[in-house]
Amino acid sequence: MAKKITIYDLAQKLNISPATVSRSLNDHPAISQKTKDKVLLVAKETGYRTNKFAANLSKQKSNTIGVIVPKLNSNFMSTVLSGIEKIANDIGYNLIISQSLESEKKEKLNAKTLFDSGVDALLVSLAYETENYDHFTTYTDRKIPLLFFDRVCDLPNCPTITIDNHAAGFDATQHLIEQGCKNIVHISGNLKRSVYSDRFEGYQRALYKSDIPFRKENLYESDLNIENVRTFVERIKNSKHKVDGIFVSNDTFAVHCIKELKKEGYRIPEDIKIIGFNNDPVSEVISPNLTTIEYPGYKMGILAGESIISHLSGSINIQSADQILIKHKLIIRESTQL
Amino acid sequence: MAKKITIYDLAQKLNISPATVSRSLNDHPAISQKTKDKVLLVAKETGYRTNKFAANLSKQKSNTIGVIVPKLNSNFMSTVLSGIEKIANDIGYNLIISQSLESEKKEKLNAKTLFDSGVDALLVSLAYETENYDHFTTYTDRKIPLLFFDRVCDLPNCPTITIDNHAAGFDATQHLIEQGCKNIVHISGNLKRSVYSDRFEGYQRALYKSDIPFRKENLYESDLNIENVRTFVERIKNSKHKVDGIFVSNDTFAVHCIKELKKEGYRIPEDIKIIGFNNDPVSEVISPNLTTIEYPGYKMGILAGESIISHLSGSINIQSADQILIKHKLIIRESTQL
DNA sequence: ATGAATTACGCAACCGATTGCGTAAATTAA
DNA sequence: TTAATTTACGCAATCGGTTGCGTAATTCAT
């Protein structure tokens, strides 16, 4: 059971003051190199470890970044987190990760807990449900850097990182149109979230541009839970107007649609063409391979990390509310091409 | 910009001592209900938030659990983390998550950082590389609960959570044998990790039990990175003895093997039967659907969380080094059955 | 009513590092 | 050699709760 040794112990051993020890350890310019060396040496020998609790208290910062995500266990989200962690780890920050499980209530709770834990910054991807953003004012009031990624909101002066979902939705739909689709269904997530509503608008704009009328019944809003695939396929089957293209806002859902449609005897892409979203690993496993929009999660994580760091280090003016857009890319595979 | 208010402020407002405020806030029995009520009320009104830094310092605990995983972005690991987070969150603990990226060096660094951050407990799934476990003695010395899951090691008095990999490897192989396979290849991860070596032993035992000789060339050890699929398939093709069954220690790798083998003209399961491991979502997307071993990640996370919590709350004797085994299950699908 | 037993709360010493301010010591200038 | 700078370090307050111990206040028993 190793003894806890403090700067006071070191000070005593060296016959100097704790203040000097502290400054030496932090490489403060007002301390001579000779003294620093002595301190560092003894610190090594005794196995001194700085007590973060004390340092945090006196500095009022924790070297910790909080993250709230809807759920950890999705390929996209864990990839983003992986990127964030990489950056945080590289510069010596810890990451406290919590999930809202798509519940606004839990999100509020997590925001509060993380605040009380004294995170130096907060990264958020919103829950489906969240409509009210008051739980973040605690942060903005105290000038704690706050950044939204993927599922963002329009809070003033809050940087966001997303792809251009509007353009991506447009590109996806446009691609289907170019492949000859005349009656395209769009399966969307919760339209309260701009990620989805933007894609939906892009979809509409593409239709409009090609003089294809938008039919209300061609919009299918859901939580993209694959349990709903069945219902959706029924709807396709019973559709008055023959559906020949589907733009799904999520690869996993798209993949299961393909499976189900194939069971129903549809040929893909001959009868129906399908495009997904995210470029999830499953998109290359399904047969036919799924055309999709690449949504670079890791890069998003890296950028989110870097961006929040730069805010923390104060190198960026806190008022400079930036909106980072990451490039998406259309990846054409078999599900939309003969 | 809200003012920071402390227990001293509350004390002043109420004309009582900070000690009483503190005890009231913590529902200490020595304080009358009347006083507690008054304190709570004023605390609410003024928007008092306890300063965790100070509390941590004086209590020498952080209400934080550290986690080190090889990588965040795998379906299995993020599912486990999701379970851990659920438990931690429910009982008011924060989770600091870091990834070793399969590097022993980084794992050591993370262990040190988390220790310095004052985590109350540590959950670890080891990196491929790790052979030396000295970085954990800091924890055991200080009696900080330490638990390994999935990729575990045999440190004395350290609880572990795994499935019975030996039995699972046996079941997988036995299943292939029952389906008529005579020459079964095993694709394993790094055999330094017991998860993999146990499965390998199970594989051997199953062969032995059916009087099938084990051929050295039928063991393929790799990092299970799908870039190696190609090499592996070549090896199958050029094998002296016709391979008719493959047991892969990882679904993702197995799925890509199927893709590649199909390209080479092999029929699955007619020519070669394949069984994977993990029951990853992709296993139900590939055609033919992949037979696999279910490895309940979420449950593992839940158990890991609960177990470490019980150690924390001291309800379990610290010496009671337990080894929790989670039940696995053989899931038979098309890739092994005609 | 009075001593004994409870109950309710305050005092003050921590927890361990940080930091503004002041000053002795060392260096330079005159 | 002495005064003016500069350098190097120490003092002591501070961050905000927590908690052992002591005592005043209240309740109970007789």
Side-chain angles (χ1 to χ4, degrees):
Chain A
M1 179 70 155
K3 284 286 272 302
K4 279 252 196 60
I5 100 145
T6 72
I7 53 169
Y8 295 95
D9 299 327
L10 296 184
Q12 204 167 15
K13 273 201 197 352
L14 288 160
N15 263 318
I16 57 179
S17 79
T20 302
V21 174
S22 171
R23 286 193 252 257
S24 296
L25 260 16
N26 293 309
D27 202 28
H28 190 288
I31 303 294
S32 71
Q33 194 55 47
K34 217 168 50 183
T35 308
K36 282 180 190 170
D37 290 343
K38 278 192 291 188
V39 172
L40 265 328
L41 182 67
V42 179
K44 242 95 213 165
E45 288 175 356
T46 55
Y48 166 82
R49 313 288 289 262
T50 142
N51 183 321
K52 287 270 180 71
F53 297 151
N56 288 347
L57 174 59
S58 87
K59 289 196 298 196
Q60 296 295 331
K61 62 171 309 223
S62 60
N63 253 260
T64 293
I65 297 172
V67 185
I68 304 178
V69 297
K71 43 189 289 217
L72 270 160
N73 54 330
S74 88
N75 176 70
F76 173 69
M77 204 45 90
S78 64
T79 305
V80 177
L81 286 173
S82 174
I84 298 177
E85 198 276 345
K86 171 84 172 67
I87 296 297
N89 202 318
D90 283 355
I91 60 148
Y93 270 77
N94 277 328
L95 220 54
I96 300 189
I97 299 177
S98 65
Q99 41 187 358
S100 62
L101 300 175
E102 305 290 9
S103 141
E104 175 164 9
K105 193 173 154 205
K106 200 133 191 268
E107 184 177 291
K108 285 185 191 303
L109 217 61
N110 287 342
K112 186 181 258 196
T113 307
L114 289 176
F115 179 85
D116 284 340
S117 302
V119 295
D120 297 335
L122 184 66
L123 300 173
V124 182
S125 187
L126 292 164
Y128 265 137
E129 294 189 349
T130 306
E131 295 189 320
N132 170 296
Y133 308 121
D134 291 347
H135 44 310
F136 297 120
T137 58
T138 335
Y139 291 84
T140 48
D141 284 353
R142 297 269 175 92
K143 311 275 186 231
I144 298 175
L146 173 61
L147 181 151
F148 293 89
F149 62 95
D150 188 41
R151 307 234 284 249
V152 304
C153 68
D154 52 4
L155 236 45
N157 291 330
C158 262
T160 59
I161 300 189
T162 56
I163 60 169
D164 186 341
N165 283 292
H166 193 282
F170 179 87
D171 291 350
T173 312
Q174 176 69 23
H175 171 67
L176 288 177
I177 294 173
E178 282 167 7
Q179 299 303 307
C181 297
K182 304 291 185 201
N183 191 35
I184 302 171
V185 158
H186 176 44
I187 305 183
S188 170
N190 191 324
L191 288 167
K192 275 191 289 202
R193 293 274 73 91
S194 62
V195 259
Y196 298 116
S197 61
D198 285 355
R199 292 174 200 173
F200 174 50
E201 282 174 20
Y203 157 83
Q204 284 178 297
R205 190 161 59 84
L207 294 184
Y208 181 77
K209 191 182 157 210
S210 296
D211 289 320
I212 302 178
F214 163 62
R215 294 187 227 276
K216 274 207 306 284
E217 71 267 25
N218 277 353
L219 171 65
Y220 185 74
E221 185 181 359
S222 101
D223 60 4
L224 299 177
N225 195 316
I226 57 172
E227 282 152 24
N228 300 318
V229 166
R230 192 61 232 160
T231 331
F232 165 71
V233 168
E234 289 300 326
R235 209 165 128 178
I236 292 280
K237 276 173 57 182
N238 303 325
S239 175
K240 274 197 298 275
H241 306 275
K242 191 169 149 281
V243 172
D244 55 7
I246 310 178
F247 164 32
V248 188
S249 242
N250 169 309
D251 277 351
T252 307
F253 199 89
V255 157
H256 285 271
C257 285
I258 292 183
K259 284 187 66 173
E260 205 63 29
L261 286 168
K262 277 164 69 182
K263 268 190 211 156
E264 294 289 338
Y266 287 92
R267 290 167 310 159
I268 318 252
E270 293 82 354
D271 300 330
I272 298 189
K273 305 190 198 320
I274 300 189
I275 182 169
F277 212 101
N278 274 16
N279 196 23
D280 190 286
V282 290
S283 62
E284 289 191 273
V285 171
I286 188 73
S287 169
N289 280 191
L290 180 66
T291 294
T292 188
I293 301 284
E294 184 184 38
Y295 197 159
Y298 189 72
K299 188 171 177 190
M300 177 171 283
I302 296 285
L303 282 174
E306 290 178 341
S307 171
I308 206 75
I309 295 304
S310 67
H311 277 269
L312 275 171
S313 56
S315 65
I316 285 187
N317 180 346
I318 259 190
Q319 291 298 344
S320 75
D322 32 9
Q323 179 188 355
I324 299 179
L325 281 185
I326 300 180
K327 281 209 185 65
H328 63 277
K329 201 169 83 189
L330 175 66
I331 298 182
I332 301 174
R333 300 208 185 92
E334 303 158 359
S335 70
T336 58
Q337 249 191 173
L338 291 178
Chain B
M1 181 71 156
K3 284 289 271 303
K4 279 252 194 60
I5 101 147
T6 72
I7 53 169
Y8 294 94
D9 299 327
L10 297 185
Q12 205 169 14
K13 272 202 200 347
L14 289 161
N15 262 321
I16 57 179
S17 80
T20 303
V21 175
S22 171
R23 287 194 251 256
S24 296
L25 260 15
N26 292 310
D27 203 28
H28 191 288
I31 303 294
S32 72
Q33 194 55 48
K34 217 167 49 182
T35 308
K36 283 181 189 169
D37 290 343
K38 276 193 293 188
V39 173
L40 266 327
L41 182 66
V42 179
K44 242 94 211 168
E45 288 176 355
T46 56
Y48 166 83
R49 314 287 290 261
T50 142
N51 182 322
K52 287 268 179 72
F53 298 150
N56 289 347
L57 174 59
S58 84
K59 288 196 298 198
Q60 296 296 330
K61 62 171 306 226
S62 61
N63 252 261
T64 292
I65 297 172
V67 185
I68 303 178
V69 298
K71 42 189 290 219
L72 269 159
N73 53 331
S74 88
N75 176 70
F76 172 69
M77 205 44 91
S78 63
T79 305
V80 176
L81 286 174
S82 174
I84 297 176
E85 198 276 345
K86 171 82 171 70
I87 296 298
N89 202 316
D90 282 355
I91 60 147
Y93 270 77
N94 277 327
L95 220 54
I96 300 189
I97 300 177
S98 64
Q99 42 185 357
S100 63
L101 300 174
E102 306 290 9
S103 143
E104 175 164 8
K105 193 174 153 206
K106 199 133 193 270
E107 183 177 292
K108 286 185 191 302
L109 217 61
N110 287 342
K112 184 181 259 197
T113 306
L114 289 176
F115 179 85
D116 284 340
S117 302
V119 295
D120 297 334
L122 184 66
L123 301 173
V124 182
S125 188
L126 292 164
Y128 264 137
E129 294 189 349
T130 306
E131 294 189 319
N132 170 295
Y133 309 121
D134 291 348
H135 44 309
F136 297 120
T137 58
T138 334
Y139 290 84
T140 48
D141 284 354
R142 296 269 175 92
K143 311 277 187 232
I144 297 174
L146 173 61
L147 181 152
F148 293 90
F149 62 94
D150 189 41
R151 306 234 284 250
V152 305
C153 69
D154 52 3
L155 235 46
N157 291 330
C158 262
T160 60
I161 301 191
T162 56
I163 61 168
D164 186 341
N165 283 292
H166 194 284
F170 179 88
D171 291 350
T173 312
Q174 175 71 23
H175 171 67
L176 288 176
I177 295 172
E178 283 167 6
Q179 300 304 307
C181 298
K182 303 290 183 201
N183 190 36
I184 302 172
V185 159
H186 176 43
I187 304 183
S188 170
N190 192 325
L191 288 167
K192 276 190 290 204
R193 291 274 76 88
S194 63
V195 257
Y196 298 116
S197 61
D198 285 355
R199 292 173 200 174
F200 174 51
E201 282 174 20
Y203 156 83
Q204 286 178 297
R205 190 162 58 84
L207 294 184
Y208 181 79
K209 192 182 156 211
S210 296
D211 289 319
I212 302 179
F214 164 60
R215 295 187 225 276
K216 274 207 303 284
E217 70 268 25
N218 277 352
L219 171 64
Y220 185 74
E221 185 181 359
S222 100
D223 60 4
L224 298 178
N225 194 315
I226 56 170
E227 281 151 25
N228 300 318
V229 166
R230 191 60 233 163
T231 331
F232 166 70
V233 168
E234 288 301 324
R235 209 165 128 176
I236 292 280
K237 276 173 57 183
N238 303 326
S239 176
K240 276 198 297 278
H241 306 275
K242 190 170 147 286
V243 172
D244 56 5
I246 310 178
F247 163 31
V248 188
S249 243
N250 169 308
D251 276 351
T252 305
F253 198 89
V255 157
H256 285 270
C257 286
I258 292 183
K259 282 186 67 173
E260 205 63 28
L261 286 168
K262 277 164 68 182
K263 269 191 211 156
E264 294 288 338
Y266 287 93
R267 290 166 310 158
I268 319 259
E270 292 81 355
D271 299 330
I272 299 188
K273 303 190 201 318
I274 300 189
I275 181 168
F277 212 101
N278 275 14
N279 196 22
D280 190 285
V282 292
S283 62
E284 289 191 273
V285 171
I286 188 73
S287 167
N289 280 191
L290 180 67
T291 293
T292 189
I293 301 284
E294 184 184 40
Y295 197 159
Y298 190 73
K299 188 172 176 189
M300 176 171 284
I302 296 285
L303 282 173
E306 289 177 344
S307 171
I308 206 75
I309 295 304
S310 67
H311 278 267
L312 275 172
S313 56
S315 65
I316 285 187
N317 181 346
I318 258 192
Q319 292 296 344
S320 74
D322 31 7
Q323 181 188 355
I324 300 180
L325 281 185
I326 299 180
K327 280 207 187 65
H328 64 277
K329 202 169 83 190
L330 175 65
I331 298 182
I332 301 174
R333 299 209 184 92
E334 303 157 0
S335 71
T336 57
Q337 248 192 174
L338 293 178

